[in-house]
Amino acid sequence: MIALALHGGAGARRGRDYSTEIAHMREVATQARESLRAGGRAFDVVTEAVVALEDSGLYVAGRGASPNAAGQFELDASLMRGADQACGAVAVLQNFQNPILVARAVLEKTPHVMLAGDGAVQFATDQGMTPLPGGETWFTRAGRFESNHPPGTLNHGTVGCVCLDSHGELAAATSTAGVFGKLPGRVGDTPLIGAGTWADPQTAVSCTGQGEYFIRVNAAAQLAFRHRSGEGLDEAANDVLGQIAGMGGEGGLIAVNAAGHVSVPFRSQGMKRAWFSGDGDIFSEAY
């Protein structure tokens, strides 16, 4: 059994045409399914999928990043492997093309879980990670027409992927530029294991939305713990999002369990997403 879901953020606004993003997400999901059918590991597949989302410039992550209040581009990412719950993250990373690859290097090359700011930059430099090809002109500011754009106090945009491979292993990865106009140094849920990203032997989760609310309920881990305790995957996902909505927040998430069941709920105008389970159809939608 294989299964996968990916998202391009819960900032989608009703009335906008997302045909380009929908086609791109379907392409990424199709490539991921081919990798999984060939025996690819979930941890590699979620990494590759998020790299593709970062590099596209279509979402508020990687090349599609939005600037903070000081005009700087600060990127966050994390990933987690379900089999052993190994994880890595970076926060407030500047001047590198793929924060998800830096996060993975933190997992593989250090004893730490997260590096931030100047330390993350120095580490990425030491590891020979790819710097921005053209400085700030490289960024597309993909979310400037979505709900991550001012006016607003907690606007958002993120990408992520969760996956079950043919070996029965799960993994999750998430990447973001955060929000337009955020304070320098702001860290949302994306790089925080348990809040924005989670994977264990039973469940993998990636969140998108107003990160401060997802942090307050430890959204990703809470969903997994609820599911482990006997709640259905959909029920657990909706319960977590219900808490966030009850606090006045918005967003969505993607989750997959060890049986290959996929859940992609959201409490916002839309959420760009694609998913499949087994040999079933690949779905790609924005609303």
Side-chain angles (χ1 to χ4, degrees), residues 207-224:
C207 300
T208 171
Q210 294 171 319
E212 282 73 4
Y213 292 97
F214 285 79
I215 294 169
R216 288 165 65 182
V217 304
N218 208 31
Q222 185 194 152
L223 190 164

Side-chain angles (χ1 to χ4, degrees), residues 5 14 20 28 30 43 65 67 73 91 99 112 130 142 147-148 163 167 175 196 211 226 230 236 239:
R14 290 277 179 187
T20 299
V28 174
T30 299
F43 192 59
F73 293 80
H112 308 308
T130 304
S147 64
N148 69 304
C163 178
H167 310 280
S175 179
R226 283 174 171 269
D239 282 348

Side-chain angles (χ1 to χ4, degrees), residues 11 13 31 36 44 56 76 104 115 128-129 133 171 173 194 206 220 222 226 230 234 237 239 272 277 282:
R13 283 193 180 277
Q31 292 173 346
L36 291 168
D44 294 327
S56 71
D76 306 329
R104 179 160 174 163
L115 295 177
M129 294 294 175
S206 174
Q222 185 194 152
R226 283 174 171 269
D234 293 325
D239 282 348
K272 289 161 281 184
S277 181
I282 294 176

Side-chain angles (χ1 to χ4, degrees), residues 154 156 208-214 216 240-252 267-268:
L154 287 176
H156 52 85
T208 171
Q210 294 171 319
E212 282 73 4
Y213 292 97
F214 285 79
R216 288 165 65 182
V240 169
L241 290 180
Q243 292 176 39
I244 290 167
M247 293 176 175
E250 69 170 31
R267 298 289 185 93
S268 55

Side-chain angles (χ1 to χ4, degrees), residues 225-239:
F225 296 159
R226 283 174 171 269
H227 189 40
R228 185 187 303 172
S229 297
E231 277 193 39
L233 189 67
D234 293 325
E235 180 183 5
N238 283 307
D239 282 348

Side-chain angles (χ1 to χ4, degrees), residues 58-118:
L58 296 173
Y59 318 95
V60 189
R63 192 176 186 192
S66 49
N68 65 16
Q72 302 163 328
F73 293 80
E74 296 179 332
L75 310 184
D76 306 329
S78 69
L79 71 177
M80 190 167 186
R81 188 168 56 214
D84 57 1
Q85 294 183 245
C87 46
V90 289
V92 199
L93 177 70
Q94 295 189 45
N95 301 321
F96 285 87
Q97 183 171 333
N98 293 111
I100 197 65
L101 295 181
V102 184
R104 179 160 174 163
V106 171
L107 184 160
E108 295 177 335
K109 304 294 185 180
T110 83
H112 308 308
V113 167
M114 180 190 291
L115 295 177
D118 291 343

